[in-house]
Amino acid sequence: MAIITLTTDFGEKDYFVGAVKGAIYNELPDVRIVDISHSVSPFHISEAAYIIKNAYNSFPKGSIHIIGIDSEFTPENKHLAVLLDDHYFICANNGILSLLASEIKPTKIVEINIHGAIETNFPVLDVFVKVACHLARGGTLEVIGKNISEIKYLKQFEPIINSEKNQIVGHVLYIDNYGNVVTNISRKLFENIGKGRNYLISARMVTFPQIYEAYSDWINFEVEKENRGEEDGKKLALFNSAGYIELAIYKSNPSTVGSASTLFGLHHRDTVTINFEEK
């Protein structure tokens, strides 16, 4: 049985998510629908890409992923259906595909061309659902679009490496539900440039001389708990489960004591710099 996932910036208040699910079930009553997230910040392409990129490969091959972010159909914002890593993605050509395909080349990309037969001002409901259900029935991409090779590319989201190879300048890519700050600096890039050298991470007025493997790695569990001092509120950098450097506050709560984002004063696109020592 086919799986169709939904990732949108629709939120939970309005009727949009329910209407999309209803339209899918109306065509395919036995399909399985999975909500990845409907809390993406409005029109936030890089945030959506981070979420779907780190969720899709937990699904079976052949799953179909609808991405409803900045999806209004215009001459500058066409719609795409893509086969990537044996998964199907349906999205707007707004740059999100370039972020999803930064490490894996798509097998096939088609520009959806069924709009003439559909009158809509809600393309996720009227166009993306039609395409997803067509694919779920075993249909091919060629039926709903024309093959293309060029897509919109968002290069500005990549970290910058200086010519001396002793500095990485990245930025805040995503802020999670705990207020932890995810950078666009991957573990692979850090290790390739760092080559085991000492380093210092800087972001506004805070610095981090060490990157941990997990949130609790900084705690010395050989010391009795009452003798460790205050644990909550510790600032730390770590490699998160998605393989990116994350700046965090241990057991933070954005609604009470604050979070890495609020306490460090970091927001989307703010600069995060890593300087490496010369050997």
Side-chain angles (χ1 to χ4, degrees), residues 39-70:
S39 298
V40 177
S41 300
F43 306 102
H44 204 315
I45 293 170
S46 62
E47 186 175 291
Y50 176 79
I51 292 170
I52 189 68
K53 186 175 183 179
N54 291 294
Y56 86 85
N57 54 10
S58 293
F59 289 86
K61 301 291 187 181
S63 294
I64 301 157
H65 307 281
I66 293 176
I67 308 175
I69 310 292
D70 187 29

Side-chain angles (χ1 to χ4, degrees), residues 180-220:
N180 295 325
V181 175
V182 180
T183 75
N184 66 335
I185 303 172
S186 67
R187 181 178 195 140
K188 181 179 179 181
L189 177 64
F190 171 84
E191 292 176 347
N192 285 344
I193 300 300
K195 301 185 184 304
R197 293 179 288 177
N198 292 330
Y199 56 87
L200 186 68
I201 302 174
S202 303
R204 287 194 179 271
M205 302 300 292
V206 291
T207 58
F208 304 83
Q210 182 177 357
I211 303 175
Y212 294 94
E213 295 291 333
Y215 294 99
S216 61
D217 275 359
W218 66 275
I219 299 174
N220 184 356

